[in-house]
């Protein structure tokens, strides 16, 4: 089921995707290791989607070019990173993972996906939360989040080779910036 179209980009509900699409999303997720947590099998993707508040995939000319999976504070998701925000905020929207196919990078698709969650939460005064790897360093994602006005709020080292930086941004600040562009 299609949920939105803008400038040739079509967004669909990932929870209603068929097996062929789920396989493509799974492979796109796995291609982002180590920056996105590996799912190891499609059943783990399905479990993640069943807990998500919002999950979408986008296409251009019927080719899958990206996806996003998000949670709100009511989820039973057991990620350490999600739990960090759950302990900190009564109400929030957490971007667990976003992936853009390499051939579609730097075309505004990440911004398009974030705009979707801004629109979804436009009537709420909540935080949009995400984390980004800093060991190994995910320069592209750090630059993207900072360009979008996210503020680093904490860094956590899980091992000598793995650390993340937590980011937050008020939805109302995102909405104001989006309107001014």
């Amino acid at each position: 089921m299609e949920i939105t179209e803008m400038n040739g980009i079509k967004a669909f509900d990932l929870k209603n995707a068929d097996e062929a699409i789920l396989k493509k999303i799974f492979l796109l997720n796995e291609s982002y290791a180590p920056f996105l947590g590996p799912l190891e099998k499609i059943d783990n993707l399905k479990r993640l989607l069943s807990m998500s508040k919002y999950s979408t995939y986008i296409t251009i000319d019927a080719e899958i070019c990206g996806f996003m999976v998000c949670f709100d504070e009511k989820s039973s998701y057991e990620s350490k990173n999600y739990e960090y925000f759950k302990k900190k905020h009564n109400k929030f929207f957490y971007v667990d993972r976003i992936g853009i196919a390499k051939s579609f990078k730097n075309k505004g698709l990440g911004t398009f996906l974030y705009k979707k969650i801004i629109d979804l939460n436009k009537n709420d005064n909540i935080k949009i939360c995400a984390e980004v790897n800093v060991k190994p360093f995910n320069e592209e994602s750090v630059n993207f989040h900072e360009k979008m006005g996210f503020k680093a709020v904490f860094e956590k080292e899980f091992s000598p080779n793995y650390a993340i930086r937590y980011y937050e941004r008020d939805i109302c600040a995102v909405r104001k910036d989006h309107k001014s562009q």
Side-chain angles (χ1 to χ4, degrees):
M1 176 174 104
E2 183 177 330
I3 57 175
T4 258
E5 182 174 355
M6 185 177 98
N7 299 331
I9 304 168
K10 294 181 181 178
F12 299 87
D13 183 351
L14 189 49
K15 289 183 180 187
N16 294 321
D18 64 25
E19 287 292 321
I21 290 168
L22 289 175
K23 183 175 182 180
K24 289 177 182 177
I25 298 300
F26 170 78
L27 293 173
L28 180 55
N29 183 88
E30 300 306 282
S31 76
Y32 268 90
F35 301 127
L36 288 183
L39 294 170
E40 299 173 356
K41 56 186 179 178
I42 290 179
D43 285 344
N44 291 338
L45 172 60
K46 290 177 183 176
R47 183 176 175 275
L48 191 71
L49 295 175
S50 72
M51 291 184 286
S52 71
K53 172 70 175 181
Y54 177 78
S55 53
T56 190
Y57 69 97
I58 54 176
T59 65
I60 296 177
D61 297 328
E63 186 176 352
I64 293 174
C65 50
F67 75 99
M68 174 184 256
V69 179
C70 303
F71 299 89
D72 67 8
E73 70 284 349
K74 298 172 192 153
S75 175
S76 59
Y77 190 35
E78 296 176 354
S79 155
K80 291 176 187 173
N81 298 323
Y82 171 80
E83 288 296 323
Y84 168 82
F85 294 112
K86 193 168 186 171
K87 288 176 184 170
K88 189 174 178 193
H89 300 294
N90 291 327
K91 192 167 173 73
F92 65 97
F93 206 78
Y94 171 68
V95 179
D96 179 62
R97 57 192 65 226
I98 179 172
I100 304 296
K102 286 180 181 33
S103 59
F104 290 96
K105 286 192 174 269
N106 300 311
K107 298 182 189 277
L109 299 178
T111 302
F112 174 85
L113 287 169
Y114 268 86
K115 182 194 175 302
K116 301 293 297 161
I117 62 171
I118 293 164
D119 290 346
L120 183 68
N121 294 287
K122 64 186 173 195
N123 296 321
D124 297 325
N125 186 23
I126 63 170
K127 299 277 187 192
I128 299 175
C129 304
E131 89 279 342
V132 176
N133 286 42
V134 290
K135 275 188 193 176
F137 190 65
N138 188 344
E139 181 176 10
E140 183 178 36
S141 188
V142 166
N143 291 342
F144 172 80
H145 284 88
E146 290 177 359
K147 181 183 118 201
M148 291 285 292
F150 281 77
K151 302 294 181 214
V153 294
F154 187 66
E155 284 194 20
K156 170 85 174 163
E157 184 173 89
F158 291 94
S159 74
N161 298 320
Y162 177 60
I164 55 93
R165 181 178 298 155
Y166 295 111
Y167 283 95
E168 296 179 356
R169 177 130 188 221
D170 291 328
I171 193 81
C172 58
V174 174
R175 194 170 56 242
K176 284 180 204 168
D177 285 354
H178 179 70
K179 286 180 180 179
S180 66
Q181 291 178 353

